[in-house]
């Protein structure tokens, strides 16, 4: 998979890709992530990428030209499955969408800033608009980092244990059950006895029950989906 991230603040989004699982995924060539600074695609001498709104109103709007230049250049080089725009009014990111995108080959992610982009960018270039939740961030970069993390960890080979992504919370619309490790007894706080017996079907049944109970208590809405 290849992900091209278009941003005015590459320094804001780089670090998550320079540590831990994402870094290893890149080093193992399981994913390529490229950052494109929109200012490199400006033609005016101040390298400005935004301007005031037609019709008046507070806040700057990102102009179409540098975005067009950047996206068009990338599209000349390869075909993209999706051109994604990070925005609070997009489709809310859920596990199902991350699963779906993890199967794609080439993705562009455009990070918005200020008030957002000229509507013609959305009309002409964007194939998917994604929000990471019902709150407003100061730019799309942190949202793009969240989206990339959710996608990249699902690519086969990225997580050590191939099955572990399948047992995450939200796969099957259930939250994950409780987990324990050594010691069996810490200050009298004990691990449930049944986990030591080696009775796999019984343990699986217990985990399913716990996941269901946990979901019912915390996120009953997931059980209706
Ligand atoms: N940009 C600003 N707020 C955002 C959000 N909630 N999700 C994605 N991109 C954003």
């Amino acid at each position: 998979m290849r992900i091209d991230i278009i941003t005015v603040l590459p320094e804001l989004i780089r670090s998550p890709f320079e540590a831990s699982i994402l870094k290893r995924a890149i080093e193992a060539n399981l994913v390529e992530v490229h950052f494109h600074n929109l200012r490199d695609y400006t033609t005016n001498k101040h390298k400005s990428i935004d301007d005031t709104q037609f019709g008046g109103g507070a806040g700057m709007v990102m102009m179409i030209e540098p975005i067009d230049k950047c996206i068009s250049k990338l599209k000349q080089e390869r075909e993209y499955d999706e051109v994604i725009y990070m925005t609070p009014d997009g489709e809310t990111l859920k596990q199902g969408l991350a699963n779906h995108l993890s199967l794609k080959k080439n993705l562009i992610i455009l990070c918005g800033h200020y008030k957002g982009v000229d509507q013609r960018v959305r009309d002409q270039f964007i194939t998917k608009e994604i929000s990471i939740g019902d709150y407003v961030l100061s730019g799309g970069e942190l949202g793009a980092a969240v989206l990339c993390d959710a996608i990249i960890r699902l690519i086969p080979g990225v997580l050590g244990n191939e099955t572990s992504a399948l047992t995450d919370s939200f796969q099957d619309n259930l939250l994950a059950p409780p987990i324990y490790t050594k010691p069996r007894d810490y200050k009298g706080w004990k691990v449930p006895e049944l986990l030591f017996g080696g009775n796999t079907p019984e343990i699986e049944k217990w985990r399913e029950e716990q996941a269901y109970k946990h979901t019912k208590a915390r996120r009953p809405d997931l059980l209706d989906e």
Side-chain angles (χ1 to χ4, degrees):
M1 171 182 275
R2 174 185 168 116
I3 303 176
D4 288 277
I5 299 176
I6 304 175
T7 168
V8 273
L9 286 172
E11 65 276 21
L12 180 59
I13 195 182
R14 272 213 171 91
S15 69
F17 299 91
E18 291 168 355
S20 187
I21 288 174
L22 299 189
K23 181 181 178 193
R24 264 196 284 132
I26 292 167
E27 284 174 353
N29 288 323
L30 295 167
V31 62
E32 268 180 49
V33 182
H34 299 267
F35 302 96
H36 306 277
N37 190 337
L38 260 190
R39 292 199 199 280
D40 296 341
Y41 296 85
T42 52
T43 48
N44 58 77
K45 75 168 185 262
H46 299 294
K47 290 188 182 277
S48 55
I49 49 96
D50 60 332
D51 211 326
T52 52
Q53 249 186 94
F54 279 131
M60 303 293 271
V61 179
M62 289 170 72
M63 294 185 290
I64 191 168
E65 192 190 21
I67 297 172
D68 176 20
K69 286 207 153 69
C70 185
I71 292 178
S72 301
K73 177 177 169 272
L74 290 170
K75 279 184 166 175
Q76 269 168 20
E77 293 162 1
R78 67 194 64 74
E79 274 191 27
Y80 285 89
D81 299 291
E82 300 281 4
V83 181
I84 298 166
Y85 174 51
M86 302 307 300
T87 176
D89 60 348
E91 173 184 352
T92 307
L93 177 61
K94 299 273 179 69
Q95 190 61 48
L97 180 54
N99 293 351
H100 170 78
L101 292 173
S102 73
L103 302 171
K104 303 294 179 191
K105 198 156 168 273
N106 298 316
L107 300 174
I108 290 177
I109 304 178
L110 171 64
C111 304
H113 254 271
Y114 319 107
K115 267 245 164 293
V117 295
D118 187 305
Q119 180 61 36
R120 290 168 293 182
V121 170
R122 300 168 77 155
D123 296 343
Q124 300 300 325
F125 305 121
I126 301 301
T127 61
K128 210 174 236 332
E129 304 192 328
I130 299 178
S131 162
I132 63 159
D134 289 342
Y135 39 81
V136 179
L137 302 168
S138 50
E141 283 77 9
L142 297 179
V146 167
L147 174 63
C148 287
D149 186 294
I151 293 173
I152 292 171
R153 62 191 294 285
L154 295 170
I155 298 171
V158 170
L159 293 187
N161 180 350
E162 278 285 338
T163 60
S164 68
L166 296 174
T167 56
D168 288 338
S169 280
F170 302 113
Q171 297 289 6
D172 309 325
N173 274 354
L174 286 176
L175 300 181
I179 51 173
Y180 299 89
T181 187
K182 295 182 198 79
R184 287 180 178 219
D185 184 335
Y186 183 72
K187 297 184 176 175
W189 303 321
K190 294 191 176 65
V191 174
E193 201 57 42
L194 128 159
L195 295 174
F196 309 130
N199 184 337
T200 312
E202 193 192 7
I203 291 171
E204 279 310 304
K205 186 164 161 273
W206 179 84
R207 286 185 173 148
E208 274 167 37
E209 285 165 5
Q210 292 292 315
Y212 181 78
K213 263 199 209 159
H214 190 46
T215 310
K216 195 157 179 184
R218 292 200 171 178
R219 293 291 308 275
D221 57 299
L222 292 176
L223 298 173
D224 305 331
E225 277 178 19

